[in-house]
Amino acid sequence: MTAVEWLVDELEKANYIPKDSLIIDYVIKQSNKMFEQQIIEAGNSCAFKQHLHSERINKMSMDELEQYDLEPSYTFGEEYYNETFNK
C-alpha cells in the first residue's frame, strides 16, 4: 500500500471523502505513477547502483548471462522498482 492509498483509506474512514469516487481513483492512479517515477529516479541516482548491478551479473552463469542479454534493457532504478514493488 502506498502512502497515498493509506491516506485515502483514512479519509474515507473519517467520511471526509466519498468511497468509489472517480476523482479519488484518478488521484490514486496519478499519485502511484508519480511514486513509481520517484523510485526509479532514486534508484538511477544511487551511487551504490553500479556495484549491486555488477555483483548480480558477476554471480550469473554463462547461460544466465546469455538469457539476460536477450531480455529488454532496464535501468537499475526500473529493475529495483519492479523487483521491490511488482511482486
Side-chain angles (χ1 to χ4, degrees):
M1 172 180 282
T2 66
V4 172
E5 290 167 332
W6 174 86
L7 178 60
V8 169
D9 285 346
E10 294 299 310
L11 293 174
E12 285 176 346
K13 288 178 195 174
N15 292 320
Y16 286 119
I17 58 172
K19 295 180 189 231
D20 301 322
S21 166
L22 291 177
I23 293 171
I24 296 304
D25 291 343
Y26 175 77
V27 168
I28 291 171
K29 184 177 180 180
Q30 291 303 113
S31 297
N32 284 333
K33 284 182 182 178
M34 291 170 63
F35 176 69
E36 178 181 348
Q37 190 60 38
Q38 289 170 341
I39 294 298
I40 290 170
E41 289 174 8
N44 286 339
S45 66
C46 177
F48 198 49
K49 72 178 181 181
Q50 189 58 47
H51 172 72
L52 294 175
H53 196 65
S54 295
E55 188 174 291
R56 179 177 164 204
I57 289 173
N58 289 339
K59 292 179 181 178
M60 290 182 179
S61 68
M62 187 56 86
D63 289 338
E64 289 172 322
L65 283 170
E66 289 173 357
Q67 182 61 36
Y68 181 79
D69 193 40
L70 297 174
E71 294 175 2
S73 181
Y74 296 102
T75 64
F76 176 81
E78 290 169 321
E79 286 184 22
Y80 171 77
Y81 180 87
N82 289 335
E83 290 173 5
T84 305
F85 297 100
N86 290 331
K87 293 180 180 179

